Amino acid sequence: MENEHTGSRRNHWTFLTNHARVLIAIARDPGIRLRDIAASCDLTERTVQAIVTDLETDGYLTRTRDGRRNRYAIAPGARFRHPAEAGREIAGLLTYLVGPLADPTAPPGPGGSDGVAEGRALPLR
């Protein structure tokens, strides 16, 4: 007999929220398009747009126009919202998952907007 702990519903949970996934995608590529975030996170563009608006409104990132595209910058010192992680900066999690965060004032490097040569992974430290 299936219950709430063994049923098929319980097999589809993940550790990261959609907000975290979107923030990680932006940390990997500050010039990423919303449609590319949507595709990589398996979300709709409308959902990604709402999440980016949430993140921007709450001070986790800033958005600036770069020609016809947006460029995002993760806010330095942004902290987790939940009381269990209160006082901890999100930069630690992003650095662990993505590698060192890009300097938002630096121009894109050769090979990609994240400054890493094409085909090379960001190192985890």
Side-chain angles (χ1 to χ4, degrees):
M1 181 168 166
E2 289 187 4
N3 64 36
E4 68 182 69
H5 298 288
T6 61
S8 62
R9 252 182 26 161
R10 301 292 292 174
N11 294 333
H12 298 290
W13 66 275
T14 62
F15 281 105
L16 299 176
T17 66
N18 290 336
H19 281 68
R21 282 192 189 89
V22 169
L23 197 59
I24 289 165
I26 290 170
R28 286 184 176 137
D29 180 0
I32 194 169
R33 297 178 304 174
L34 293 182
R35 75 175 57 153
D36 296 329
I37 296 171
S40 70
C41 295
D42 197 26
L43 299 169
T44 65
E45 284 186 58
R46 181 175 280 202
T47 298
V48 171
Q49 185 175 27
I51 290 171
V52 167
T53 298
D54 287 346
L55 293 170
E56 187 176 22
T57 299
D58 289 341
Y60 286 91
L61 59 85
T62 57
R63 176 180 11 194
T64 56
R65 292 297 287 174
D66 185 11
R68 294 177 49 195
R69 308 235 342 230
N70 287 320
R71 185 151 190 85
Y72 303 94
I74 307 293
R79 298 183 183 280
F80 286 100
R81 292 171 46 120
H82 194 278
E85 296 87 29
R88 296 195 182 263
E89 293 185 4
I90 61 167
L93 177 65
L94 293 175
T95 298
Y96 177 74
L97 294 172
V98 176
L101 296 178
D103 178 357
T105 61
S113 61
D114 58 7
V116 175
E118 205 64 42
R120 295 199 44 218
L122 288 170
L124 295 178
R125 298 179 189 221

